[in-house]
Amino acid sequence: MAAVKLDTPGARLAVVGLSLDRYHEALRLIGAVEGFVQVTRDAAEITIVLDEIEWRRHSGAFPEAKSVPGWRLIRFDLVLDFSVVGFMAEVTRLMAAAGISVLAISTWRTDGLLVEEKYFDEAVAIIQSADRLVALAGME
């Protein structure tokens, strides 16, 4: 059976939390950084995921920010239709069974997850050996 193809960029990422009143500054920040960046704004906070090096370059402008470095991105190199049910649930179930904490990342085209760098190789191996993911993605 085929394995789910993964895109695993080498950059270490930081997860950054900002207060809502820094939203416009956060937008300027993401316009100035290179590489992967994701911004989520909800009713309580702003979360930015970006390259650790980029965060270090710009973090002085956000002294109140909370940040956790040392994350790696595992992106599923396939387009998942919005009708696919259970794919990420299975991924997170597998990670939970291995004791690996994850942060889910989704875009229009595909999904992925952030894992701490110390668990990266283990997480990749688990995903690549999971036949059920292939079935859920419709790759059989």
Side-chain angles (χ1 to χ4, degrees):
M1 183 174 277
V4 172
K5 292 182 183 177
L6 302 175
D7 175 23
T8 55
R12 289 173 40 117
L13 302 171
V15 179
V16 178
L18 297 171
S19 64
L20 287 174
D21 64 343
R22 300 302 303 270
Y23 183 65
H24 294 289
E25 292 95 334
L27 291 178
R28 281 194 290 279
L29 167 66
I30 67 166
V33 301
E34 297 292 325
F36 178 84
V37 63
Q38 181 162 354
V39 177
T40 304
R41 176 183 156 182
D42 66 16
E45 66 184 353
I46 302 161
T47 301
I48 305 173
V49 179
L50 71 162
D51 185 285
E52 275 186 23
I53 295 168
E54 290 286 346
W55 173 241
R56 281 195 298 274
R57 270 185 46 216
H58 297 280
S59 63
F62 302 92
E64 77 292 353
K66 298 176 210 162
S67 66
V68 180
W71 295 88
R72 293 280 306 275
L73 176 62
I74 301 172
R75 187 175 18 230
F76 301 101
D77 193 12
L78 53 98
V79 177
L80 293 170
D81 188 86
F82 287 128
S83 65
V84 172
V85 175
F87 185 86
M88 287 302 285
E90 180 64 9
V91 170
T92 57
R93 185 194 67 75
L94 292 167
M95 295 301 114
I100 300 173
S101 178
V102 300
L103 298 172
I105 297 283
S106 293
T107 65
W108 180 269
R109 204 177 137 297
T110 191
D111 296 306
L113 54 128
L114 296 174
V115 298
E116 290 179 83
E117 186 168 42
K118 65 184 175 183
Y119 298 114
F120 178 77
D121 292 333
E122 181 182 1
V124 168
I126 289 168
I127 293 166
Q128 288 179 327
S129 66
D131 293 340
R132 177 146 167 73
L133 291 177
V134 173
L136 286 167
M139 297 172 48
E140 291 186 297

